Amino acid sequence: MPLPPRERTDRRDLWVLGGLFVLMIAGLAGLAAATGWAETLEEIGKLTAWQVVGLLALSLVNYLFRGMRWHLFAMRLGLPTGFIQDLRHFIGGFAMSATPGRVGELVRMRWIRRETGWSFERTAPLVLVDRASDLVAMALILALALALSAGEIAGAMPIVILALGTAWIATHPSLLAAFALRSYRMTGRLPRIWARVRAASRSLAAFRGPWTIGFAAVLGTIGWMAEGYAFHLLLVWMGSDIGLWTAVAIFIFSALAGGLTGAPGGVGGAEAAMIALLTLEGVPLSVSVPATLIIRVTTLWFAILLGLLVFPLAERQSMRGAHGAA
């Protein structure tokens, strides 16, 4: 008996996540084998259980502060949702972080529609401004880290400018509407999608206040800085202290570079950039490979794990909301 469409989609997404994780492990394992398994395992063995807990705790700081930002945006948009409800949507959406372009995270909009009756067009600005805010926070941290670090990262400033420019367009209604219209005229395809983008752009004015933008930037910066600091601590614990701001710059640049590749979750691109930049800083492969593996597991894959744990609860709660609305 064939599975219902939703169950087939969920199963397919799980296979995609599993495949991506295996590919990441295989790639890093190949590098570990080339440098020597004994050295790699020795570096991993330097970490204590409490240190790993510390890395996970700093990742939780990131998720909590960005979840607070999501709640702030939901309030500004006028959504009739509470903090715990918004946090459930935000964390549950992490389950789809490793989908191409993170489009799977749009599941949050589905939950909101079921629980509040708001259409995708009305909630799309929430997702858009959240992603734009991440770009702004990461670009600001990277610019600061580049200014304070001793090393240089080729191509970093163009990425900072690109991230800020993308966020600027995405949060300005007239620019976003013009971009959607021009894109449709150039491609002649997906008219409904571009029409929805133009319709959604009208709601972006709700987030334009300086207080909202400033507070959101602070929350996002604290969140991403927590993970950058975790990467610094990890390198210190593994005996390769390259300095706080250099470590933060490498972490943020690698995350942005991985995202630009378009690969789900930045898998492949982020790891390659991180290992290459650590090598340029004089960190041996026997350290950079396990450090990259550990930080990616305790950030990206930890978020996905939390998302997978919360996802069933979010689905059940949204279905109850849909039945209640009916």
Side-chain angles (χ1 to χ4, degrees):
M1 181 177 180
L3 292 171
R6 185 172 63 81
E7 291 187 22
R8 288 201 303 269
T9 300
D10 292 344
R11 179 168 294 186
R12 181 197 63 195
D13 291 337
L14 287 175
W15 277 106
V16 169
L17 291 174
L20 288 170
F21 185 75
V22 169
L23 287 174
M24 185 193 76
I25 295 296
L28 293 176
L31 287 173
T35 57
W37 278 107
E39 292 85 351
T40 301
L41 294 176
E42 181 181 352
E43 293 298 332
I44 294 177
K46 290 181 179 179
L47 296 181
T48 66
W50 283 112
Q51 287 173 335
V52 174
V53 170
L55 297 177
L56 295 176
L58 286 168
S59 289
L60 285 175
V61 170
N62 181 23
Y63 311 149
L64 177 60
F65 274 82
R66 289 166 59 205
M68 292 167 60
R69 186 188 63 193
W70 177 272
H71 177 59
L72 169 66
F73 289 149
M75 290 193 300
R76 293 296 299 163
L77 193 60
L79 275 170
T81 51
F83 175 69
I84 298 300
Q85 189 178 8
D86 288 332
L87 193 62
R88 183 174 68 240
H89 295 160
F90 183 73
I91 299 297
F94 283 158
M96 300 291 103
S97 293
T99 51
R102 290 194 170 188
V103 295
E105 290 188 351
L106 297 180
V107 69
R108 295 167 178 155
M109 297 164 63
R110 184 179 72 185
W111 294 331
I112 294 173
R113 183 182 63 177
R114 288 175 178 173
E115 296 173 29
T116 67
W118 283 44
S119 66
F120 286 160
E121 287 79 3
R122 294 181 69 187
T123 56
L126 175 60
V127 177
L128 189 63
V129 77
D130 181 70
R131 300 305 302 148
S133 294
D134 272 339
L135 288 176
V136 169
M138 296 173 80
L140 291 176
I141 293 173
L142 181 55
L144 178 63
L146 290 173
L148 297 178
S149 65
E152 295 183 0
I153 299 178
M157 284 312 298
I159 286 186
V160 169
I161 296 171
L162 178 61
L164 291 174
T166 302
W168 178 268
I169 293 174
T171 53
H172 283 71
S174 59
L175 292 177
L176 184 59
F179 171 75
L181 180 60
R182 188 172 183 83
S183 297
Y184 170 65
R185 287 176 176 174
M186 289 178 61
T187 62
R189 298 179 178 179
L190 306 175
R192 292 185 179 179
I193 297 296
W194 294 120
R196 287 185 174 184
V197 171
R198 294 187 66 191
S201 68
R202 302 188 190 103
S203 300
L204 287 174
F207 309 109
R208 293 293 304 278
W211 183 89
T212 301
I213 293 174
F215 192 38
V218 170
L219 292 174
T221 300
I222 293 174
W224 284 108
M225 189 63 199
E227 288 194 346
Y229 182 65
F231 187 51
H232 165 65
L233 283 180
L234 174 62
L235 291 173
V236 171
W237 292 336
M238 298 182 77
S240 294
D241 184 1
I242 59 176
L244 169 62
W245 293 109
T246 300
V248 169
I250 290 175
F251 176 81
I252 297 296
F253 176 85
S254 300
L256 287 171
L260 288 176
T261 65
V267 174
E271 291 83 4
M274 195 171 291
I275 291 172
L277 291 173
L278 287 173
T279 301
L280 291 176
E281 291 295 325
V283 179
L285 284 176
S286 60
V287 174
S288 64
V289 172
T292 298
L293 170 63
I294 292 168
I295 200 63
R296 291 291 276 172
V297 168
T298 56
T299 54
L300 172 66
W301 293 101
F302 180 48
I304 291 175
L305 175 61
L306 290 178
L308 290 172
L309 293 175
V310 175
F311 193 95
L313 173 62
E315 276 287 298
R316 287 196 300 270
Q317 292 295 331
S318 69
M319 291 302 295
R320 291 175 184 173
H323 294 325

Short mmCIF file of all heavy atoms in Angstrom, two decimals, residues 17 48 53 67 84 91 106 117 134 161 171 174 180-181 194 200 210 223 225-226 255 259 275 284 292 296 308:
data_model
loop_
_atom_site.label_atom_id
_atom_site.label_comp_id
_atom_site.label_asym_id
_atom_site.label_seq_id
_atom_site.Cartn_x
_atom_site.Cartn_y
_atom_site.Cartn_z
N LEU A 17 18.74 13.95 4.42
CA LEU A 17 19.56 14.33 5.56
C LEU A 17 20.62 13.26 5.86
O LEU A 17 21.79 13.58 6.10
CB LEU A 17 18.68 14.55 6.79
CG LEU A 17 17.75 15.77 6.77
CD1 LEU A 17 16.85 15.76 7.99
CD2 LEU A 17 18.56 17.05 6.74
N THR A 48 37.11 16.51 26.41
CA THR A 48 36.36 15.83 27.46
C THR A 48 34.86 15.93 27.18
O THR A 48 34.43 16.74 26.34
CB THR A 48 36.65 16.46 28.83
OG1 THR A 48 36.13 17.81 28.85
CG2 THR A 48 38.15 16.50 29.09
N VAL A 53 29.88 19.22 25.88
CA VAL A 53 28.64 19.82 26.41
C VAL A 53 28.72 21.34 26.31
O VAL A 53 27.73 22.00 25.97
CB VAL A 53 28.41 19.38 27.87
CG1 VAL A 53 27.28 20.19 28.51
CG2 VAL A 53 28.09 17.89 27.93
N GLY A 67 15.76 32.39 18.16
CA GLY A 67 14.34 32.11 18.39
C GLY A 67 13.63 33.32 18.98
O GLY A 67 12.47 33.60 18.64
N ILE A 84 6.45 30.46 23.29
CA ILE A 84 6.71 29.02 23.21
C ILE A 84 6.27 28.48 21.86
O ILE A 84 6.95 27.65 21.25
CB ILE A 84 6.01 28.27 24.36
CG1 ILE A 84 6.54 28.74 25.72
CG2 ILE A 84 6.20 26.76 24.21
CD1 ILE A 84 8.03 28.54 25.92
N ILE A 91 12.49 26.16 16.11
CA ILE A 91 13.37 25.00 16.31
C ILE A 91 12.95 23.84 15.41
O ILE A 91 13.79 23.17 14.81
CB ILE A 91 13.36 24.56 17.79
CG1 ILE A 91 13.88 25.69 18.69
CG2 ILE A 91 14.22 23.30 17.98
CD1 ILE A 91 15.31 26.09 18.43
N LEU A 106 10.39 26.34 5.07
CA LEU A 106 9.08 26.97 4.86
C LEU A 106 7.97 26.16 5.54
O LEU A 106 6.82 26.60 5.56
CB LEU A 106 8.78 27.09 3.36
CG LEU A 106 9.75 27.99 2.57
CD1 LEU A 106 9.34 28.03 1.10
CD2 LEU A 106 9.79 29.40 3.15
N GLY A 117 -4.51 30.42 10.57
CA GLY A 117 -5.30 30.73 9.39
C GLY A 117 -4.64 31.74 8.47
O GLY A 117 -5.20 32.09 7.42
N ASP A 134 19.85 37.11 9.52
CA ASP A 134 21.02 36.25 9.69
C ASP A 134 22.19 36.75 8.84
O ASP A 134 23.33 36.77 9.29
CB ASP A 134 20.67 34.81 9.29
CG ASP A 134 20.12 34.00 10.45
OD1 ASP A 134 20.35 34.39 11.61
OD2 ASP A 134 19.45 32.99 10.20
N ILE A 161 29.92 42.34 1.63
CA ILE A 161 29.13 43.29 0.84
C ILE A 161 27.94 42.60 0.20
O ILE A 161 26.82 43.14 0.17
CB ILE A 161 30.02 43.97 -0.22
CG1 ILE A 161 31.11 44.81 0.47
CG2 ILE A 161 29.19 44.83 -1.16
CD1 ILE A 161 32.16 45.34 -0.48
N THR A 171 14.75 43.33 2.48
CA THR A 171 13.97 43.99 3.53
C THR A 171 13.42 45.35 3.09
O THR A 171 12.90 46.09 3.92
CB THR A 171 14.83 44.18 4.79
OG1 THR A 171 16.05 44.85 4.45
CG2 THR A 171 15.16 42.84 5.42
N SER A 174 9.98 48.12 -1.94
CA SER A 174 10.03 48.57 -3.33
C SER A 174 11.11 47.85 -4.12
O SER A 174 10.91 47.46 -5.28
CB SER A 174 10.26 50.09 -3.38
OG SER A 174 11.48 50.43 -2.73
N ALA A 180 11.39 41.17 -8.10
CA ALA A 180 10.49 40.10 -8.52
C ALA A 180 9.95 40.35 -9.92
O ALA A 180 9.88 39.44 -10.76
CB ALA A 180 9.34 39.97 -7.52
N LEU A 181 9.56 41.60 -10.20
CA LEU A 181 9.02 41.95 -11.52
C LEU A 181 10.08 41.76 -12.60
O LEU A 181 9.81 41.20 -13.67
CB LEU A 181 8.51 43.39 -11.52
CG LEU A 181 7.91 43.90 -12.84
CD1 LEU A 181 6.72 43.04 -13.25
CD2 LEU A 181 7.50 45.36 -12.69
N TRP A 194 6.58 34.69 -8.44
CA TRP A 194 7.00 36.09 -8.44
C TRP A 194 5.86 37.01 -8.01
O TRP A 194 6.10 38.03 -7.34
CB TRP A 194 7.53 36.49 -9.82
CG TRP A 194 8.78 35.76 -10.20
CD1 TRP A 194 8.96 34.95 -11.28
CD2 TRP A 194 10.02 35.77 -9.50
NE1 TRP A 194 10.23 34.46 -11.30
CE2 TRP A 194 10.91 34.94 -10.23
CE3 TRP A 194 10.48 36.39 -8.33
CZ2 TRP A 194 12.22 34.72 -9.81
CZ3 TRP A 194 11.79 36.16 -7.93
CH2 TRP A 194 12.65 35.34 -8.65
N ALA A 200 4.00 39.65 -0.99
CA ALA A 200 4.59 39.54 0.34
C ALA A 200 5.44 40.76 0.68
O ALA A 200 5.54 41.15 1.86
CB ALA A 200 5.47 38.28 0.42
N PRO A 210 13.45 51.40 13.37
CA PRO A 210 14.85 51.30 13.82
C PRO A 210 15.00 50.45 15.08
O PRO A 210 16.01 49.76 15.25
CB PRO A 210 15.25 52.76 14.07
CG PRO A 210 13.95 53.50 14.26
CD PRO A 210 12.97 52.80 13.37
N GLY A 223 23.79 35.54 18.95
CA GLY A 223 23.61 34.13 18.63
C GLY A 223 24.75 33.56 17.80
O GLY A 223 25.35 32.54 18.17
N MET A 225 27.69 34.87 17.27
CA MET A 225 28.97 35.03 17.95
C MET A 225 29.22 33.90 18.93
O MET A 225 30.36 33.48 19.14
CB MET A 225 29.01 36.38 18.67
CG MET A 225 30.36 36.76 19.23
SD MET A 225 31.61 36.98 17.94
CE MET A 225 33.10 36.83 18.92
N ALA A 226 28.15 33.38 19.52
CA ALA A 226 28.29 32.26 20.46
C ALA A 226 28.90 31.05 19.76
O ALA A 226 29.79 30.38 20.31
CB ALA A 226 26.93 31.90 21.06
N ALA A 255 30.71 29.44 6.90
CA ALA A 255 29.26 29.26 6.88
C ALA A 255 28.62 30.02 5.72
O ALA A 255 27.75 29.49 5.01
CB ALA A 255 28.66 29.72 8.20
N GLY A 259 26.93 28.46 2.23
CA GLY A 259 25.59 28.83 1.78
C GLY A 259 25.57 29.30 0.34
O GLY A 259 24.62 29.03 -0.40
N ILE A 275 38.62 24.00 6.42
CA ILE A 275 39.90 23.29 6.46
C ILE A 275 40.98 24.07 5.72
O ILE A 275 42.12 24.18 6.18
CB ILE A 275 39.74 21.88 5.85
CG1 ILE A 275 38.86 21.02 6.76
CG2 ILE A 275 41.09 21.21 5.64
CD1 ILE A 275 38.48 19.68 6.16
N PRO A 284 47.68 22.14 11.36
CA PRO A 284 47.88 20.90 10.60
C PRO A 284 46.56 20.19 10.32
O PRO A 284 45.58 20.36 11.05
CB PRO A 284 48.77 20.05 11.52
CG PRO A 284 48.51 20.59 12.89
CD PRO A 284 48.26 22.05 12.72
N THR A 292 36.96 20.60 12.28
CA THR A 292 35.86 20.90 11.36
C THR A 292 34.71 19.93 11.57
O THR A 292 33.53 20.33 11.60
CB THR A 292 36.35 20.83 9.90
OG1 THR A 292 37.36 21.82 9.69
CG2 THR A 292 35.20 21.06 8.92
N ARG A 296 31.03 21.21 13.07
CA ARG A 296 29.85 21.05 12.20
C ARG A 296 28.81 20.15 12.86
O ARG A 296 27.61 20.39 12.75
CB ARG A 296 30.26 20.50 10.85
CG ARG A 296 31.06 21.46 10.01
CD ARG A 296 30.21 22.62 9.55
NE ARG A 296 29.47 22.30 8.34
CZ ARG A 296 28.54 23.05 7.79
NH1 ARG A 296 28.20 24.19 8.36
NH2 ARG A 296 27.92 22.70 6.68
N LEU A 308 14.54 17.64 14.38
CA LEU A 308 13.87 16.35 14.19
C LEU A 308 13.12 15.93 15.44
O LEU A 308 12.07 15.26 15.36
CB LEU A 308 14.90 15.29 13.80
CG LEU A 308 15.51 15.42 12.40
CD1 LEU A 308 16.64 14.42 12.21
CD2 LEU A 308 14.44 15.21 11.32
#
